Amino acid sequence: MMKLSWRALASAAAVCGIAATLAGAPQPAADAARATERTFRVAPLGMTADLPNPLRGQYRWLGAEPTPATVTSNDVYYRDQVYWGRIEKADNAWDFSWIDSGLAEAGARGGRFGFRVMAYCPGCWMGTRADLPPVTPAFVPRQAGSDVPDWNSPTFVAQWRELMAELGRRYGDDPRLGYVDVGGYGAYGEWHVWEGERVSDANGLALVDAVASAFPDTHVLLNTMTPVPFTLKALRNHRNLGLRTDSLGCPDMYSTVPGDRRLQSVWRTRPFFSEWCTRADPVLGAQQVRRFHISTLSSGNMPWRGTELTGRQRTAYATALATAGYRIKIRSLTLPDVLDAGRKVEVRTAWTNQGAAPTYDAWDVRLTFVHAATGRRVTRSLGRPLEGLVDTAARSRKISTKGMKAGRYDVHLAVVDPSGYSAPMHLANAGRTAAGTYRVGAVRVR
């Protein structure tokens, strides 16, 4: 047996001890990397803060001012103004002036425009005006012995498709257009009738298809007074089709959604818009906004004034306005305290959506690094971490520091409409700049 010298034994023991120490301890490089990270936080805003983002909260309807006046309403919705007989007084004799007006109003406010074309409006104000064209154009067939359109006539369906195709050609690519109600069928375009023959499923689906196909890149909304099987089939046929109810704050919103779990899950990927019922209870309405994930609502036909509400009702109404749609805040942003120029670095963000629904539009999150000495700006995209965001989420993205010179940089975050139309998203955070960004802190590049 070979004997080892005391020097060899000591050397072996030292090597074993070092290996054991290395195996049982964190790697110094990992410790150093973790120690150089820095987490920035941006102060949050309270739930009463006004967030004037598109396709959320309150919209303008029938020219009514926002209620209360402290709430910004930039989105505009037309219905009575753009009925079928006003747009097309005679076959292919078009008058687009009212839709142009609505788009102009929304555009001047930086909001989005939505509209519904009605083919039938029993008892409506325009029917008493001799100076206005009828709601149902003369070339549209009626049911025998009545003024109700013949919903199942091939001519009705063909004329409706022609109308929507013309509107789609003219407005389908307009960035000011936010959504189109299917409209058309039933009293007020609400997809319910109380007299005459009802539309067949085949013709009803054809009416929906006419709108959804004419506006393939726009949110299209179907009123949820339709039977559940019909609604589900229409949703399967068109990925851009969402839902609408005209009766927020009334029992079950006079909608089929509360009775069907499948319809109750549509909000995860498609919007659900609404307006207050004429007999609305604001307490019930606030509960429905949260439970059914309503994105928008209107005060245009509220049955009460704010001064007439009890304290509990006023609180509920304010909650409904604040939580309808998306209400997003950034909780934190983490990145290395020192960035190596020319290399990729990891950026981690944490978000909360305090609203009832996600945003259904594409928003890019961007970081802008501003060199403290020269003012030079470098912007990097973090992609679309807000897509489908409900409750809370953490996201990670690597960005390149290529082209960044050594020095200190202020870091700003913005949530940007990639089309360039909408202003950067108002977050539920303090410190928004005039450019729509939020300063999150400073880092150094070496």
Side-chain angles (χ1 to χ4, degrees):
M1 179 180 296
M2 184 177 68
K3 293 183 179 180
L4 296 175
S5 69
W6 68 269
R7 293 180 185 275
L9 290 171
S11 177
V15 170
C16 291
I18 292 171
T21 301
L22 290 174
Q27 296 294 320
D31 275 350
R34 185 64 61 183
T36 60
E37 282 188 346
R38 187 171 178 185
T39 296
F40 300 96
R41 304 186 190 280
V42 184
L45 293 174
M47 287 297 293
T48 58
D50 186 29
L51 298 183
N53 292 316
L55 302 187
R56 69 155 305 277
Q58 187 174 188
Y59 58 89
R60 291 173 176 265
W61 186 70
L62 285 179
E65 287 299 308
T67 304
T70 53
V71 174
T72 304
S73 295
N74 292 329
D75 293 343
V76 176
Y77 178 62
Y78 278 10
R79 186 163 67 215
D80 291 30
Q81 301 97 317
V82 293
Y83 60 84
W84 193 349
R86 207 175 203 183
I87 298 173
E88 194 177 8
K89 297 177 183 178
D91 195 12
N92 293 323
W94 308 106
D95 182 355
F96 300 112
S97 60
W98 281 95
I99 293 181
D100 290 340
S101 175
L103 286 163
E105 182 183 355
R109 299 180 185 280
R112 298 292 185 94
F113 178 61
F115 69 92
R116 176 198 300 175
V117 177
M118 298 184 294
Y120 180 53
C121 197
C124 289
W125 62 271
M126 65 283 289
T128 65
R129 295 270 301 271
D131 59 324
L132 293 177
V135 174
T136 310
F139 57 85
V140 171
R142 268 65 163 186
Q143 296 183 32
S146 76
D147 62 350
V148 180
D150 186 354
W151 316 111
N152 292 310
S153 163
T155 301
F156 179 87
V157 176
Q159 289 285 358
W160 178 256
R161 189 176 291 280
E162 182 181 71
L163 167 68
M164 286 301 136
E166 187 65 28
L167 292 174
R169 279 191 292 271
R170 187 174 179 90
Y171 300 111
D173 295 328
D174 195 317
R176 298 170 296 177
L177 182 63
Y179 61 98
V180 180
D181 278 2
V182 170
Y185 171 63
Y188 324 116
E190 292 180 354
W191 283 73
H192 68 91
V193 296
W194 57 78
E195 57 182 335
E197 183 182 9
R198 288 167 170 74
V199 73
S200 68
D201 280 1
N203 283 345
L205 290 170
L207 299 180
V208 175
D209 178 75
V211 186
S213 298
F215 296 93
D217 300 317
T218 304
H219 300 302
V220 175
L221 309 176
L222 177 62
N223 203 297
T224 54
M225 292 188 183
T226 49
V228 171
F230 177 91
T231 308
L232 291 172
K233 188 167 185 178
L235 290 166
R236 286 194 297 269
N237 289 348
H238 301 286
R239 298 184 64 181
N240 62 328
L241 186 64
L243 302 176
R244 179 183 177 90
T245 176
D246 288 350
S247 299
L248 184 71
C250 277
D252 282 341
M253 304 178 295
Y254 299 149
S255 163
T256 56
V257 171
D260 190 88
R261 290 186 178 276
R262 293 163 296 181
L263 293 180
Q264 290 170 24
S265 67
V266 170
W267 68 271
R268 293 189 177 278
T269 56
R270 313 180 195 202
F272 190 8
F273 287 11
S274 189
E275 68 185 51
W276 289 102
C277 178
T278 54
R279 295 181 295 279
D281 172 11
V283 176
L284 178 59
Q287 294 168 355
Q288 291 168 340
V289 165
R290 179 61 72 176
R291 179 184 173 192
F292 300 112
H293 307 278
I294 305 295
S295 284
T296 67
L297 44 84
S298 170
S299 59
N301 57 347
M302 286 192 310
W304 21 253
R305 298 178 182 273
T307 54
E308 299 170 351
L309 301 179
T310 66
R312 180 169 178 253
Q313 288 174 324
R314 280 196 299 273
T315 298
Y317 178 70
T319 298
L321 291 183
T323 58
Y326 56 98
R327 188 181 183 87
I328 297 172
K329 69 176 179 180
I330 183 165
R331 300 200 320 273
S332 65
L333 183 145
T334 302
L335 71 170
D337 193 25
V338 179
L339 283 62
D340 290 323
R343 294 190 177 183
K344 287 190 174 182
V345 297
E346 182 184 31
V347 181
R348 299 197 304 276
T349 52
W351 305 86
T352 295
N353 184 357
Q354 300 171 306
T359 175
Y360 301 96
D361 293 327
W363 293 90
D364 285 344
V365 177
R366 297 177 185 175
L367 289 184
T368 297
F369 298 85
V370 184
H371 197 285
T374 66
R376 184 174 182 270
R377 295 172 175 267
V378 176
T379 299
R380 296 288 183 263
S381 172
L382 300 184
R384 297 176 181 174
L386 307 185
E387 202 168 72
L389 173 66
V390 291
D391 298 327
T392 61
R395 302 284 189 259
S396 177
R397 178 91 171 200
K398 286 191 175 181
I399 62 171
S400 172
T401 59
K402 185 177 180 180
M404 296 176 67
K405 305 296 184 181
R408 179 182 175 276
Y409 287 79
D410 287 328
V411 184
H412 292 255
L413 178 142
V415 182
V416 178
D417 172 11
S419 77
Y421 170 70
S422 294
M425 184 187 294
H426 290 255
L427 299 176
N429 293 95
R432 180 182 174 90
T433 69
T437 67
Y438 297 82
R439 184 183 182 279
V440 296
V443 295
R444 187 166 58 88
V445 174
R446 62 186 175 191

